[in-house]
């Protein structure tokens, strides 16, 4: 055998798996067909976050007028912006390359396919390995009638290249990717509409949190059309005429650029997995808690295994797979936080109120509005909330949902609380620094007991 | 909650390493929360003399 561990794909899942396997002394290789660092670093998390930071700066510059600072009308140099964003990506992907090298992982560039259960073909090279970890990720779903042309109708990758600011921008899909790009294009000056098939944006989020985010978007002038389907489109000289269907009624919307962000599909097919006996279901590769497929020496991790399609989940699964492949008794048993990096951010971990009820819990709910937070006021923020879900009988924290500044960082405290089995009381009793946004978590927990100090308490169930 | 015994992450990890089922460990924390010490104690008790 050429290698003890061979990883296919160098995204967050793949490079975590490869590095951990090498740390454990395994002779390891990682195969990559397109870009080292995968979707997250090249065309996902990192470039979107860079653009969102710029959007935030633009908004802040305008907002500053309300407290007496006038920066004038911001001018955006799109070329410079692109160069900066690409620079961030290059620095990080270069970092992954040197981490792989530093850990003595062989990087093999090319497209991998399985020839037999222990042999991977990359170009004209045949590589054998004792254990194989599949980390091939996912790609955007296309919808019929809205085929991307890379210019006027784009997917997330196309939307990342802001060569000009469209006058009218439409996002089809009201989840993280659609909303993040809506935020970016709106800040850059586009007139933005979001179309979502379900009856609320971010359908996986807690209802109250999603509503709060929607309110904030609408206040800013972003149009959100829920329970609406984009039926078809026609490109004309004046723009793209989109037919929308809502409650049986049809209407036409004319826009200049369309982002199709209706979801992503796993890359589990076309790799030769099924041919060597690995079960693949609708493109996803099912695994057990050790991340093994039904063929025990073949593992699968990240977007190709199952939702949620998130980078930190892929990373954790990569570590579990590598450790297990190296003979350790590792298993995936942690709870996945999720963040939408719009302004305000939406972050959550654990169960939504509905999920907790469906799981049979008698729930105790506490809400703290950021309008009552001193720190939020000093930041000029008047919207947002923290909502906690607890179990009425045991007081255990079941879920945390937040809309507000730095929600994505705040969610880490809640994730730790759930992992440690904290009760709402434990959170109330933890001294939080004042004034901070983090205090809102403590007060939401207090509110669940009708004991918050900075808001009138109404106990809710 | 979450269809798993209430245990801190380090206790879950140690139990796996020792080949113990968490359901077989008595937790000493509130609501039977299993701590690392609980797993060690259970492992000693079940170890062949
Ligand atoms: C616009 C956007 C924004 C996002 N923002 C966030 C965010 O903020 N936070 C977050 O948690 N997640 C975010 N995500 C999701 C995140 O990018 C993915 O969950 C994550 O990249 C999954 O990692 P992975 O390792 O499973 O696969 P990927 O990152 O998809 O990497 C798979 C790699 O495998 C390679 N590959 C595939 N097939 C082969 C083959 N046969 N041979 C060789 N190589 C192959 C691919 O080229 C790719 O480089 C975002 C996604 C998008 C699209």
């Amino acid at each position: 055998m050429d290698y003890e561990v061979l990883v296919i794909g160098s995204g967050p899942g793949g490079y975590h798996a490869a590095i951990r396997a090498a740390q454990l002394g395994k002779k390891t290789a990682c195969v990559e067909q397109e870009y080292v660092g995968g979707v997250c670093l090249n065309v996902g998390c990192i470039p979107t976050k860079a653009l969102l930071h710029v959007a935030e700066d633009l908004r802040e510059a305008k907002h500053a007028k309300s407290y007496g600072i006038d920066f004038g009308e911001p001018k955006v140099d799109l070329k410079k912006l692109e160069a900066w964003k690409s620079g961030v990506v290059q620095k990080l992907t270069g970092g992954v390359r040197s981490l792989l090298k530093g850990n003595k992982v062989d990087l093999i560039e090319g497209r991998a396919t399985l020839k037999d259960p222990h042999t991977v073909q990359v170009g004209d090279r045949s590589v054998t390995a004792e254990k194989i970890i599949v980390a091939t990720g996912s790609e955007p779903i296309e919808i019929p009638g809205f085929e991307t042309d890379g210019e006027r109708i784009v997917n997330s990758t196309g939307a990342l290249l802001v060569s000009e600011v469209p006058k009218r921008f439409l996002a089809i899909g009201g989840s993280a990717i659609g909303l993040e790009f809506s935020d970016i294009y709106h800040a850059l000056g586009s007139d933005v509409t979001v179309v979502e098939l379900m009856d609320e944006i971010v359908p996986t989020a807690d209802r109250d949190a999603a509503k709060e985010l929607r309110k904030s978007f609408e206040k800013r002038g972003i149009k959100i059309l829920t329970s609406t389907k984009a039926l078809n489109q026609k490109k004309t000289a004046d723009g793209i005429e989109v037919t929308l269907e809502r409650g049986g009624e049809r209407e036409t919307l004319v826009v200049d650029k369309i982002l199709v962000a209706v979801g992503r599909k796993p890359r589990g097919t076309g790799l030769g997995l099924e041919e060597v006996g690995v079960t693949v279901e609708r493109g996803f590769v099912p695994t057990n808690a050790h991340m093994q497929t039904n063929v025990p020496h073949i593992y699968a991790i990240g977007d190709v295994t199952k939702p949620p399609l998130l980078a930190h989940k892929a990373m954790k699964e990569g570590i579990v797979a590598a450790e297990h492949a190296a003979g350790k008794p590792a298993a995936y048993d942690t709870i996945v936080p999720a963040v939408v990096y719009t302004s305000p951010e939406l972050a959550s971990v654990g169960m939504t109120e509905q999920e907790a009820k469906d799981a049979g819990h008698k729930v105790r709910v506490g809400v703290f509005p950021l309008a009552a937070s001193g720190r939020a006021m000093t930041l000029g923020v008047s919207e947002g909330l923290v909502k906690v879900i607890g179990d009425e009988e045991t007081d255990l924290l079941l879920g945390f949902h937040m809309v507000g500044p730095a929600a994505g960082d705040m969610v880490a405290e809640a994730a730790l609380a759930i992992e440690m089995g904290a009760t709402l009381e434990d959170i109330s009793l933890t001294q939080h620094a004042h004034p901070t946004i983090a205090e809102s978590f403590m007060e939401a927990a207090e509110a669940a007991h009708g004991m918050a100090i900075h808001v009138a308490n109404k106990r809710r169930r | 909650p979450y269809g798993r015994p209430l245990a801190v992450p380090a206790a879950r990890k140690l139990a796996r390493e020792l080949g113990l089922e968490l359901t077989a460990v008595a937790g000493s924390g509130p609501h039977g929360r299993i701590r690392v010490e609980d797993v060690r104690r259970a492992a000693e008790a079940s170890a062949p003399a």
Side-chain angles (χ1 to χ4, degrees):
Chain A
M1 296 272 177
D2 299 320
Y3 292 99
E4 290 172 284
V5 177
L6 181 132
V7 183
I8 306 179
S10 69
Y15 81 77
H16 273 69
I19 290 175
R20 178 55 53 90
Q23 285 170 342
L24 293 171
K26 299 290 154 192
K27 185 160 190 264
T28 306
C30 184
V31 189
E32 173 56 52
Q33 66 178 11
E34 194 173 6
Y35 28 49
V36 173
V39 166
C40 183
L41 268 65
N42 290 278
V43 292
C45 328
I46 295 299
T48 48
K49 263 76 273 175
L51 291 178
L52 281 158
H53 171 65
V54 170
E56 178 73 4
D57 274 357
L58 283 169
R59 250 192 319 270
E60 286 294 310
K62 278 193 194 148
H63 183 63
K65 285 201 185 102
S66 65
Y67 44 81
I69 307 178
D70 191 345
F71 292 105
E73 200 49 41
K75 281 197 287 287
V76 184
D77 180 337
L78 292 175
K79 280 218 180 77
K80 234 177 169 169
L81 172 53
E82 175 60 29
W84 172 71
K85 185 195 70 185
S86 311
V88 172
V89 167
Q90 269 163 30
K91 211 165 166 186
L92 285 169
T93 55
V96 171
R97 268 179 196 274
S98 39
L99 285 172
L100 289 173
K101 200 168 170 205
N103 282 286
K104 300 197 169 56
V105 174
D106 287 346
L107 177 63
I108 305 175
E109 300 198 50
R111 175 174 168 75
T113 45
L114 269 79
K115 262 199 341 200
D116 67 51
H118 286 283
T119 311
V120 168
Q121 188 75 30
V122 188
D124 49 19
R125 194 170 153 195
S126 237
V127 190
T128 54
E130 280 163 30
K131 308 269 169 85
I132 295 170
I133 301 179
V134 179
T136 48
S138 64
E139 56 195 58
I141 292 179
E142 294 250 339
I143 45 177
F146 292 88
E147 284 75 18
T148 53
D149 59 18
E151 203 181 324
R152 294 213 274 174
I153 304 181
V154 295
N155 58 28
S156 57
T157 304
L160 277 170
L161 219 129
V162 193
S163 47
E164 60 185 329
V165 177
K167 257 184 73 187
R168 298 157 296 185
F169 178 85
L170 170 68
I172 303 179
S175 282
I177 295 177
L179 293 176
E180 289 182 8
F181 279 108
S182 294
D183 191 325
I184 293 164
Y185 279 88
H186 183 260
L188 289 171
S190 301
D191 179 28
V192 175
T193 307
V194 180
V195 167
E196 167 59 51
L197 199 57
M198 306 299 278
D199 62 359
E200 190 51 275
I201 54 169
V202 209
T204 50
D206 186 88
R207 282 301 149 118
D208 290 337
K211 277 200 195 103
E212 185 76 8
L213 182 62
R214 177 191 190 132
K215 229 170 54 193
S216 162
F217 263 53
E218 288 177 336
K219 205 165 110 189
R220 206 182 300 164
I222 296 176
K223 275 189 282 320
I224 295 187
L225 306 174
T226 41
S227 306
T228 304
K229 188 173 180 184
L231 280 185
N232 52 55
Q233 63 51 52
K234 200 170 76 205
K235 287 178 191 160
T236 70
D238 177 47
I240 317 171
E241 264 179 48
V242 186
T243 310
L244 302 175
E245 189 181 64
R246 195 148 54 134
E249 305 272 303
R250 292 194 176 182
E251 58 185 284
T252 307
L253 181 73
V254 183
V255 297
D256 303 295
K257 194 173 185 124
I258 299 177
L259 164 68
V260 180
V262 295
R264 298 181 60 82
K265 57 171 192 270
R267 284 200 193 116
T269 46
L271 289 168
L273 282 174
E274 285 146 302
E275 289 77 354
V276 301
V278 175
T279 304
V280 180
E281 284 170 8
R282 285 174 296 112
F284 283 111
V285 184
T287 69
N288 62 15
H290 309 298
M291 309 316 299
Q292 291 169 293
T293 67
N294 60 310
V295 177
H297 76 276
I298 302 181
Y299 294 76
I301 56 172
D303 284 5
V304 80
T305 59
K306 63 174 176 304
L309 307 189
L310 292 172
H312 40 282
K313 169 190 159 273
M315 293 170 171
K316 181 82 190 172
E317 289 181 344
I319 286 175
V320 168
E323 290 183 347
H324 195 267
K328 290 186 168 288
Y332 187 94
D333 63 356
T334 49
I335 290 157
V336 195
V339 183
V340 181
Y341 293 84
T342 45
S343 173
E345 293 180 351
L346 183 154
S348 61
V349 63
M351 302 180 206
T352 63
E353 186 172 351
Q354 194 56 48
E355 284 165 355
K357 285 177 178 161
D358 292 346
H361 292 280
K362 263 177 76 185
V363 300
R364 189 190 272 277
V365 174
V367 177
F368 185 79
L370 293 192
S373 154
R375 183 60 179 145
M377 249 174 260
T378 67
L379 295 170
V381 170
S382 58
E383 53 205 15
L385 54 80
V386 174
K387 175 175 173 179
V388 296
I389 322 289
D391 179 75
E392 179 79 44
E393 268 160 61
T394 58
D395 201 42
L396 287 166
L397 175 67
L398 299 175
F400 167 95
H401 308 277
M402 174 171 178
V403 174
D409 286 298
M410 284 269 306
V411 76
E413 184 190 354
L416 178 65
I418 292 179
E419 292 297 348
M420 297 299 289
T423 59
L424 294 178
E425 189 186 24
D426 290 327
I427 294 151
S428 306
L429 292 173
T430 301
Q431 202 178 127
H432 285 66
H434 177 78
T436 57
I437 294 291
E439 281 173 290
S440 310
F441 184 22
M442 175 180 75
E443 288 228 45
E446 287 170 345
H449 289 284
M451 301 293 267
I453 301 292
H454 292 95
V455 281
N457 289 283
K458 47 173 193 284
R459 271 209 53 193
R460 308 184 7 172
R461 322 205 136 217
Chain B
Y2 300 102
R4 63 182 196 191
L6 190 60
V8 301
R12 294 202 293 269
K13 178 170 180 236
L14 184 65
R16 274 198 304 272
E17 285 171 358
L18 298 175
L20 269 184
E21 287 293 335
L22 275 178
T23 42
V25 178
S28 62
H31 310 293
R33 177 167 58 197
I34 301 167
R35 305 183 304 166
V36 170
E37 296 73 32
D38 301 326
V39 177
R40 284 221 181 88
R41 210 173 303 121
E44 276 161 26
S46 69

